[in-house]
Amino acid sequence: MSNSDQDARFEDGAEAPLRLMAMDDEDLQVISALVQDAVFPASEIAWDARHRRFALLLNRFRWEDMPAAKRRQRPVERVQAVLSVSDVLKVQSQGFERGDKDLVLSLLSLSFVPAEDGMGRLELVLAGDGAIALEVETLDVTLQDVTRPYIAPSRHTPEHPE
């Protein structure tokens, strides 16, 4: 790949940033696995009702890096990423106060339940019995890494069964 094909932040030959799109449930399962245990402050939840877009700036583990981390006996890297959803008609939250700007939330999974009218409900399940439900016209989800990978100061990686 030539430098002109790479993101400017990654011209030194580092791995290019991840960018995935989900247009169906199978794609969404891949994104859900990659954002498992991601954390984000409540202040980074954004919904633009006029343009029908919802977005989160989150810190996710690079689960796709797990084999290399195990080989090198180091923690799994983290990266900041934007999870965005298009065609959002309504946003509801439960189990937390959206106005609490100091609150840090942990994302466990994403799931989609289609409705009979072709629309559906995208649910972001949070730790502590919280959730964010998005009524969507179509399933259109994007996950895009926006920083270089880094190892968190805590060096902690959650355990997951293989």
Side-chain angles (χ1 to χ4, degrees):
M1 174 185 301
S2 70
N3 282 347
S4 63
D5 294 334
Q6 292 180 327
D7 186 298
R9 294 165 297 178
F10 296 86
E11 286 181 359
D12 61 3
E15 188 174 330
L18 178 76
R19 184 172 196 283
L20 298 174
M21 293 178 65
M23 303 296 276
D24 61 31
D25 193 51
E26 189 174 317
D27 295 342
L28 187 65
Q29 290 175 25
V30 172
I31 289 177
S32 180
L34 292 171
V35 297
Q36 185 175 11
D37 297 314
V39 295
F40 59 95
S43 61
E44 296 298 342
I45 298 171
W47 181 41
D48 178 350
R50 183 170 173 247
H51 293 103
R52 300 177 4 171
R53 293 197 56 87
F54 175 87
L56 293 176
L57 177 62
L58 47 86
N59 292 298
R60 72 173 190 88
F61 285 99
R62 290 186 65 241
W63 294 117
E64 66 275 21
D65 179 55
M66 180 66 87
K70 282 187 175 185
R71 269 194 320 275
R72 295 181 182 134
Q73 298 181 335
R74 64 162 167 75
V76 175
E77 296 171 328
R78 280 190 168 273
V79 65
Q80 281 195 319
V82 173
L83 180 73
S84 62
V85 183
S86 298
D87 298 325
V88 178
L89 304 171
K90 184 177 179 183
V91 176
Q92 296 176 302
S93 61
Q94 70 179 47
F96 68 96
E97 286 293 323
R98 286 190 347 199
D100 184 351
K101 301 300 182 191
D102 294 326
L103 180 64
V104 176
L105 302 165
S106 180
L107 183 57
L108 299 179
S109 66
L110 305 174
S111 63
F112 181 70
V113 178
E116 290 180 18
D117 58 4
M119 294 192 234
R121 180 180 175 98
L122 177 66
E123 189 162 309
L124 290 72
V125 179
L126 307 173
D129 295 327
I132 302 171
L134 310 175
E135 289 184 25
V136 296
E137 189 171 23
T138 60
L139 182 60
D140 186 354
V141 179
T142 303
L143 176 66
Q144 169 123 25
D145 290 348
V146 294
T147 65
R148 290 180 178 269
Y150 63 92
I151 294 178
S154 71
R155 303 184 64 82
H156 171 74
T157 301
E159 294 294 323
H160 291 278
E162 295 187 38

